[in-house]
Structure formats: structure tokens, C-alpha cells
Amino acid sequence: ALQPARLRHRAPHRIVQSASATDATERESYLQYNAHAWRGVCRSVVVDATRRRVDYDADLDGKRYSAAVKRRTNGDLEERFSWDDDDAIETTLPSKDVVCDFDGSYSCDRASSLVAGTAPSFTIETGLAVSDEARIRILALYDGATGLLKRI
């Protein structure tokens, strides 16, 4: 009878090592992993919750971006987020507002946006570490007045 071949999956070394007194905390791993320069391509949709409609975001979808993330002495992360057309936004992500994991993944809520000129809003953000050098960042932007989802 045929038996399935055993596949060996290798997790990032930070996860599979046994714990010791010198291991970094979840917060320290988050700070070390995310405080770098990142580049990527935005995938975005605009949500019209009242009409129950979702469309590609003509303003953002496909735009290239770069993010320069620096760690402050108090543990917060300061980010300069630049789009390929030179539009830039600077934000601060307080470490106390972040729920993080040993691999550098995180989630948080914040009253800001990475899109210049948007109306008052709040953002739910998740960053997923997919390798030692890559991450996927997901932002859900909600209207500050109605609470309805506006953009992903």
C-alpha cells in the first residue's frame, strides 16, 4: 500500500527554540522584527456598506510604497509611510496599544490612517510575519462618524 511521504516543515527558528532566561519577550521580538525599512505593493478595495458594494480602490490599488520604521527609546514605533507618488504620512504606533507575538506579528487599533486627507477614522491593523524578511500588513479603515467599514 502507498503511504504519504512525510513532509518536514521548518518554522522560523525563533518559534522552535526552547525557552530560556535569555529569550526575547514577545514585545521585544515585535520591535526587532518591525523596526526596519519595508517596501511593497498595496492591494486595496473601497467598501460602500450602505449599498453593500465593494470595488477596487482606484486611488491605492497597485501603488508601490515604502515604510521606514524606527524604534523610539520608549518602545513606540515611529513610521514614515511613503507612496510611489511621494505622498507621505508619519505616524506613531504606541507599544502599549499593540498585541504582539514572538514571530513579530501584531494587531492594534488606532485613530489614524495611512491615507492623507481622509475624514476622521479609526483603523484596525494586523501585521503577519510570513518569513524572516517578509510580512503582510492588513488595515481596515472605518468611518469615524458612522463606524462603517470604508476601505481595506
Side-chain angles (χ1 to χ4, degrees):
L2 295 175
Q3 295 194 357
R6 294 190 68 189
L7 297 175
R8 299 191 80 188
H9 297 283
R10 294 189 58 170
H13 61 79
R14 292 180 277 222
I15 295 172
V16 296
Q17 290 178 341
S18 60
S20 73
T22 59
D23 281 351
T25 64
E26 290 175 346
R27 184 151 321 280
E28 187 62 29
S29 293
Y30 154 77
L31 292 168
Q32 288 177 7
Y33 182 81
N34 287 286
H36 295 286
W38 298 91
R39 296 189 51 75
V41 177
C42 178
R43 293 292 169 224
S44 182
V45 293
V46 176
V47 178
D48 184 343
T50 57
R51 294 183 184 156
R52 296 181 181 166
R53 182 180 169 127
V54 176
D55 290 311
Y56 281 105
D57 186 345
D59 294 332
L60 296 179
D61 192 60
K63 281 179 89 170
R64 294 194 167 280
Y65 69 87
S66 61
V69 184
K70 297 178 185 173
R71 181 179 176 175
R72 290 183 172 176
T73 55
N74 67 357
D76 294 350
L77 291 180
E78 186 176 280
E79 178 177 31
R80 179 172 172 78
F81 192 90
S82 304
W83 295 102
D84 58 358
D85 60 5
D86 297 326
D87 193 16
I89 293 176
E90 294 185 13
T91 63
T92 300
L93 188 57
S95 64
K96 65 179 179 54
D97 296 339
V98 176
V99 176
C100 45
D101 202 351
F102 282 108
D103 67 353
S105 297
Y106 68 94
S107 63
C108 66
D109 300 353
R110 59 170 150 169
S112 65
S113 170
L114 295 177
V115 182
T118 59
S121 61
F122 65 95
T123 301
I124 297 175
E125 179 176 343
T126 300
L128 302 173
V130 294
S131 75
D132 283 345
E133 298 175 356
R135 68 179 180 170
I136 296 174
R137 189 173 185 184
I138 304 162
L139 297 120
L141 178 68
Y142 291 84
D143 184 285
T146 65
L148 295 175
L149 180 63
K150 295 186 334 183
R151 178 180 272 150
I152 300 173

